[in-house]
Amino acid sequence: MLKRKVTKKLESWYKSGRCKAPIIFGARQVGKTTAIREFAKLHYTHFVEINFVKYPSAAKAFDGDLTTHSIITNLSAMGFGPFVEGKTLVFFDEVQECPKARTAIKFLVEEHTYDYIESGSLLGINYKHVQSYPVGFEERYDVFPMDFEEFLWARGVSQQVIDTVKNAYAKLEPVPDFIHQQISRYYREYLVVGGMPEVVQRFVTNPDFNEVVKAQQSIMTTYRADISNYAGRQAPLVKRVFDAIPSSLGKQDKRFVLSDMEKGASLRKYEDPTQWLIDAGIAYYSFNTGAFELPLEATEKRNLYKLYMVDTGLLCSAILKKMQFEVMNGNIDINEGALTENFVACSLVANNVPLHYFDKKSKLELDFIVPDSDGITIIEVKSGADYKRHASLSNAISNNSMRINRAIVLSANNVEVCDRIIYLPLYMAQLLFE
């Protein structure tokens, strides 16, 4: 099975006494359910999984008193079980479909007859009202597609090699050349495959890109179907935004421009459909800011933004079609900037870093500007060989040196520090705020 970082969080919860119920959120297909099932095998004699999408009638178990006795009696009558005190993990999957289950968690956890874990897809999470949230009785974990380190685990790379890369980052020293070349090759694989567990598993089992693409296309089809099922009247507009993300990232400035979709398109018309994708975890906003001031949210321009996709592999399948082999082997530069920048965006989001880019009257453009302690980190992403050409970054350092903690250029090259600029391999993106 694929090793996931969320398992470590669940292990910590288990050892801490289980006084709260973990609630695991994430977009569809990111591996939430599989991770919980594997965790349950290690620690429980009995595992009761209740999926409220697969078994919508299970929600009726919560129509009466919200006590352990009432709810478990009802679930047992429906055929769920066995429930053995102190030895059973009860898993409420797709919990967004049963708001009363979340309300009941407070009482179930307090009685502590069994252990509970909840999981919910962000798709449609806000469309059903929860009468009373169990504040203080849930512990939220966000799960994303497999990050690059998890991908390396799947590819069989040893922890010793991974630690060598981490140590090089910590000391700002070059990675040994052989290791750098090998990890760079895996990074290019990751650009094409991405981190969706089903896709990664297929690739590891049988590195046939036709199978990889089939799995990616299946996930994209599922996302479009979910939009139809959950977005209601806004579904056509949500799909239009979703389908426009790859082409917007393929542009040089990568900014999402509404008029590219239809003439006269307005923010008022598309703001809610776009926010739906954000809430669903399918896309990530990066807002423009024109000032090196904290908090960045105070100066952001919400009418100017980029949209990134939840998974770089899905983006690759949409934007490059049958050119994945060329990308993996470094034989193509077309639209590689879209993939590399999306990769960095996903790496930052997975570390709870809000996304902003800097663009002041198109004269000074920076890919990412991020709060860092009491200052700012600037990140420039370079997919080509001219990684030391960065006029905007150099200008920003010259005029705002007191506010900038780190100026970082991510490229295909090894670690180097020169004139206050830190040059790092792209594969180190996830280490910046880990």
Side-chain angles (χ1 to χ4, degrees):
M1 287 301 301
L2 299 173
K3 181 180 176 183
R4 300 302 306 275
K5 292 181 178 180
V6 68
T7 303
K8 186 175 181 179
K9 295 180 180 179
L10 292 175
E11 294 285 352
S12 297
W13 164 76
Y14 184 81
K15 293 175 183 177
S16 68
R18 309 179 297 283
C19 296
K20 297 182 180 181
I23 181 163
I24 300 177
F25 283 134
R28 299 256 197 225
Q29 307 287 331
V30 296
K32 305 182 297 297
T33 299
T34 300
I36 294 166
R37 288 172 180 167
E38 292 302 310
F39 168 77
K41 289 179 183 177
L42 296 175
H43 296 287
Y44 294 89
T45 307
H46 302 286
F47 176 58
V48 181
E49 179 177 338
I50 302 156
N51 185 308
F52 292 107
V53 169
K54 188 175 182 179
Y55 302 106
S57 61
K60 295 179 181 178
F62 300 83
D63 286 346
D65 295 336
L66 298 182
T67 64
T68 299
H69 181 270
S70 176
I71 293 169
I72 298 304
T73 298
N74 291 339
L75 290 172
S76 296
M78 294 176 181
F80 294 102
F83 296 90
V84 179
E85 185 173 345
K87 297 183 178 181
T88 303
L89 175 64
V90 182
F91 174 33
F92 296 145
D93 198 7
E94 302 291 0
V95 72
Q96 76 275 0
E97 295 294 330
C98 183
K100 287 185 179 179
R102 289 197 65 191
T103 300
I105 277 293
K106 173 183 177 181
F107 311 108
L108 296 173
V109 169
E110 279 184 323
E111 294 174 33
H112 207 175
T113 308
Y114 313 101
D115 291 341
Y116 300 89
I117 294 180
E118 305 167 272
S119 177
S121 166
L122 292 170
L123 281 169
I125 197 67
N126 296 319
Y127 84 108
K128 289 187 177 180
H129 179 63
V130 177
Q131 186 176 6
S132 176
Y133 284 96
V135 179
F137 293 88
E138 287 180 331
E139 191 169 344
R140 174 168 177 153
Y141 303 142
D142 291 307
V143 177
F144 301 92
M146 297 173 66
D147 65 22
F148 183 57
E149 184 174 9
E150 290 173 313
F151 181 78
L152 292 178
W153 292 340
R155 295 293 281 126
V157 177
S158 72
Q159 192 61 48
Q160 183 179 0
V161 170
I162 294 172
D163 288 342
T164 298
V165 172
K166 290 184 175 182
N167 289 334
Y169 167 75
K171 296 177 181 179
L172 294 181
E173 296 176 350
V175 178
D177 187 62
F178 175 76
I179 293 177
H180 171 67
Q181 296 300 326
Q182 293 301 308
I183 300 299
S184 295
R185 180 171 64 85
Y186 287 126
Y187 159 73
R188 301 192 72 82
E189 284 184 358
Y190 185 83
L191 284 186
V192 174
V193 177
M196 290 297 186
E198 179 189 353
V199 181
V200 174
Q201 188 65 67
R202 285 201 190 186
F203 177 68
V204 170
T205 304
N206 177 20
D208 180 346
F209 276 107
N210 291 319
E211 294 301 312
V212 167
V213 171
K214 284 180 184 178
Q216 290 168 333
Q217 290 174 342
S218 176
I219 292 172
M220 294 288 276
T221 300
T222 298
Y223 281 170
R224 290 190 179 92
D226 283 329
I227 292 171
S228 297
N229 291 336
Y230 289 104
R233 295 179 180 178
Q234 292 185 335
L237 297 182
V238 176
K239 285 183 180 179
R240 190 174 295 174
V241 175
F242 179 63
D243 291 338
I245 294 175
S247 59
S248 71
L249 289 173
K251 298 186 303 182
Q252 183 172 358
D253 64 4
K254 298 175 181 58
R255 189 160 66 86
F256 196 93
V257 180
L258 293 174
S259 60
D260 290 344
M261 291 191 297
E262 65 171 336
K263 186 177 181 180
S266 66
L267 183 63
R268 181 177 181 181
K269 179 178 180 180
Y270 280 97
E271 186 172 22
D272 286 346
T274 305
Q275 187 62 48
W276 191 95
L277 288 171
I278 305 301
D279 291 341
I282 296 176
Y284 306 134
Y285 263 132
S286 179
F287 288 110
N288 170 267
T289 182
F292 290 93
E293 298 175 4
L294 296 176
L296 296 175
E297 288 76 11
T299 58
E300 70 184 14
K301 301 178 181 68
R302 296 185 69 87
N303 64 322
L304 299 174
Y305 56 88
K306 301 177 184 179
L307 287 177
Y308 295 103
M309 289 193 71
V310 63
D311 180 68
T312 299
L314 296 182
L315 174 63
C316 185
S317 70
I319 204 171
L320 289 179
K321 304 299 180 185
K322 297 186 180 297
M323 303 176 78
Q324 285 91 341
F325 182 79
E326 300 298 326
V327 173
M328 192 185 74
N329 287 281
N331 297 330
I332 185 171
D333 292 327
I334 300 172
N335 283 328
E336 189 172 328
L339 300 179
T340 53
E341 194 167 313
N342 200 92
F343 167 77
V344 175
C346 291
S347 299
L348 296 176
V349 169
N351 282 299
N352 298 309
V353 177
L355 302 182
H356 291 86
Y357 70 97
F358 188 96
D359 186 349
K360 195 168 185 178
K361 297 180 180 179
S362 299
K363 295 181 179 179
L364 189 61
E365 301 176 10
L366 301 167
D367 295 328
F368 297 98
I369 174 171
V370 180
D372 187 1
S373 299
D374 58 347
I376 287 170
T377 286
I378 297 173
I379 304 170
E380 280 283 81
V381 182
K382 298 289 186 179
S383 59
D386 59 344
Y387 68 101
K388 288 195 174 181
R389 293 181 58 187
H390 38 64
S392 292
L393 180 60
S394 299
N395 188 305
I397 294 172
S398 298
N399 296 315
N400 302 275
S401 60
M402 296 297 291
R403 302 175 187 173
I404 298 173
N405 284 346
R406 295 187 296 175
I408 296 171
V409 173
L410 296 172
S411 72
N413 293 74
N414 211 326
V415 180
E416 181 183 356
V417 180
C418 182
D419 297 329
R420 289 196 58 197
I421 297 175
I422 302 169
Y423 297 92
L424 299 173
L426 276 155
Y427 58 73
M428 286 187 176
Q430 75 177 65
L431 303 179
L432 298 180
F433 295 92
E434 192 171 50

